[in-house]
Amino acid sequence: MTTPEATTQKPSRPRSERLSATTWLWVVFWLIFLVQPVTSNITAGGGRTAGACILIAGGLLYGIQTTRIMRRMWSGRPLTTTEQSITGLVAMVMTGGMLAAAPLLGQSAFALLPYCVVVLALGSAIKVGATLALSLCAATYALSPSLTGKPLETGLLFAALASGAAAGLGAFSAARGREAEVAREDAALLRVQEERNRMARDLHDILGHSLTVITMKAELAGKLVDLDPAKAKEQIAELEQLSRSALADVRTTVSGYREMSLSGEIARARTALTDASIRADMPMSVDAVSPDLRELFAWAVREATTNVIRHSGASRCTVTIEPTRLVVADDGRGSDATPGTAAGSGNGLAGLRERAEAVGASVAVDTSDGFRLTVGAPPRNNGETR
């Protein structure tokens, strides 16, 4: 159902668009550190102006490539192999320009070094980027005396290493963020699948029992139409009531609000077994049953009595209830029943086992002498498992 807020709220832009301004602001901020080397060398004139233009070109390449990388990272998409190759090419061009400007500008040319390192660290795989960035710093440190006549300034080297480390951590964080997002999506899909399985299991249990009883009553009503029309009408009326009850159960199950009542299931089972000409020995009270096991026992009574009516050919069915144990037994065919039903491999019994595991209980089926279903749990103490 659409809420008023949902109808008035403007559609949000894609995440990459929302972060575009932030990305540009971040990139432009770090370019501020190129302003001083560029302006001072332009003011000096001569060959230094050409070197300053190289710094400007390198800064532009840094800004364009870093923006592309960061927008890609923040949109939750990793860089492709082609994009990483382009990043490497951009870093090579920037490095070449820096080394070419070094004889013209001296140590000022190496102001471009941190930007080269950041491009490599952001645009490459973590280990590859770290290796290339360290190699570039080492090569620049080694070439500085021959290109400028002076060792590489410690401040520039530190700035390059610190910038590379920060960029590497940012890339690592983005990668972990993508993995976390994928994990969240997988978990959401798993929850949806589990809910579908729960719904299918509940519908199977509800309709399996209800339709079995409805079919049996319809057959009985058909036989009584000529022999005893009054009783036939009673059976037809009960059919209508059962069908309405089954429809209500399905609706409430789909809505997610359905709760099983152990006493109600015992009453239903008693009526269904009696109508099937099976003697029903049922407990009169369920007050002693541990509260956290009552819903499980209710499902067990429903599943077991459905199997008894469908497959057992029994004349008697007994339900025994203790605080943490339920036993449903009949004197029917047992292991001679239809394969995959009384033997304990049907869908209903599989669903019952899942419910039992969820509350720390177990389900056992014995078909050596009739059908015997046992659902039990360790003794409870104030509703908890010891």
Side-chain angles (χ1 to χ4, degrees), residues 132-163:
L132 292 176
L134 290 174
S135 299
L136 176 59
C137 290
T140 303
Y141 184 83
L143 292 173
S144 178
S146 60
L147 293 174
T148 66
K150 295 180 181 180
L152 181 64
E153 293 180 2
T154 305
L156 288 173
L157 180 60
F158 176 80
L161 293 175
S163 300

Side-chain angles (χ1 to χ4, degrees), residues 284-308:
M284 301 304 297
S285 174
V286 298
D287 294 340
V289 178
S290 179
D292 60 326
L293 294 175
R294 288 180 184 176
E295 184 176 357
L296 172 63
F297 284 5
W299 283 112
V301 169
R302 168 168 285 201
E303 176 61 27
T305 53
T306 299
N307 278 348
V308 170

Side-chain angles (χ1 to χ4, degrees), residues 368-379:
S368 59
D369 184 15
F371 173 77
R372 182 184 181 90
L373 173 71
T374 303
V375 181

Side-chain angles (χ1 to χ4, degrees), residues 29-382:
F29 173 80
W30 289 109
L31 283 173
I32 291 175
F33 295 98
L34 269 182
V35 172
Q36 192 276 330
V38 168
T39 54
S40 62
N41 284 287
I42 289 178
T43 303
R48 288 182 173 272
T49 301
C53 291
I54 293 176
L55 292 184
I56 293 173
L60 290 175
L61 284 176
Y62 156 81
I64 294 170
Q65 189 62 21
T66 303
T67 300
R68 293 178 60 187
I69 294 171
M70 292 183 64
R71 292 185 65 183
R72 182 82 174 187
M73 288 168 50
W74 287 352
S75 66
R77 296 172 297 169
L79 294 174
T80 64
T81 303
T82 301
E83 290 171 328
Q84 291 181 2
S85 300
I86 293 174
T87 299
L89 179 61
V90 170
M92 287 177 60
V93 172
M94 291 176 63
T95 301
M98 177 185 69
L99 296 178
L104 300 174
L105 304 179
Q107 291 290 302
S108 296
F110 297 129
L112 203 59
L113 179 60
Y115 300 98
C116 297
V117 170
V118 167
V119 170
L120 286 173
L122 282 179
S124 307
I126 303 286
K127 294 181 179 179
V128 174
T131 302
L132 292 176
L134 290 174
S135 299
L136 176 59
C137 290
T140 303
Y141 184 83
L143 292 173
S144 178
S146 60
L147 293 174
T148 66
K150 295 180 181 180
L152 181 64
E153 293 180 2
T154 305
L156 288 173
L157 180 60
F158 176 80
L161 293 175
S163 300
L169 288 174
F172 179 79
S173 177
R176 297 292 80 78
R178 289 194 297 269
E179 293 176 1
E181 184 66 25
V182 171
R184 283 193 294 271
E185 292 175 357
D186 290 344
L189 290 174
L190 181 59
R191 286 193 296 270
V192 170
Q193 186 61 46
E194 289 176 347
E195 182 62 17
R196 287 175 178 170
N197 292 338
R198 182 197 68 80
M199 187 68 68
R201 182 186 65 206
D202 287 356
L203 289 176
H204 171 274
D205 292 345
I206 293 167
L207 295 179
H209 175 81
S210 300
L211 294 179
T212 296
V213 178
I214 288 172
T215 301
M216 180 197 65
K217 283 187 172 292
E219 292 175 351
L220 181 58
K223 295 177 182 178
L224 293 174
V225 167
D226 297 326
L227 298 176
D228 193 339
K231 286 190 175 181
K233 289 181 180 179
E234 291 179 3
Q235 293 297 322
I236 292 173
E238 291 181 9
L239 273 174
E240 181 182 358
Q241 182 181 359
L242 280 171
S243 64
R244 292 181 185 276
S245 177
L247 180 59
D249 282 347
V250 170
R251 285 174 175 169
T252 52
T253 297
V254 171
S255 300
Y257 297 113
R258 186 171 186 274
E259 292 184 0
M260 292 290 290
S261 167
L262 178 55
S263 58
E265 288 304 316
I266 288 177
R268 290 186 187 185
R270 182 183 289 109
T271 301
L273 290 168
T274 301
D275 289 341
S277 300
I278 300 174
R279 179 181 173 183
D281 293 335
M282 302 281 180
M284 301 304 297
S285 174
V286 298
D287 294 340
V289 178
S290 179
D292 60 326
L293 294 175
R294 288 180 184 176
E295 184 176 357
L296 172 63
F297 284 5
W299 283 112
V301 169
R302 168 168 285 201
E303 176 61 27
T305 53
T306 299
N307 278 348
V308 170
I309 295 171
R310 279 182 175 179
H311 311 294
S312 70
S315 60
R316 179 176 180 177
C317 178
T318 302
V319 176
T320 304
I321 293 181
E322 300 173 4
T324 59
R325 187 169 177 266
L326 167 77
V327 178
V328 181
D330 67 44
D331 59 356
R333 291 190 294 267
S335 58
D336 295 330
T338 304
T341 55
S345 59
N347 290 332
L349 289 173
L352 183 61
R353 287 191 173 94
E354 292 178 6
R355 290 190 175 92
E357 291 175 359
V359 295
S362 60
V363 176
V365 176
D366 182 5
T367 59
S368 59
D369 184 15
F371 173 77
R372 182 184 181 90
L373 173 71
T374 303
V375 181
R380 260 48 174 174
N381 182 19
N382 295 328

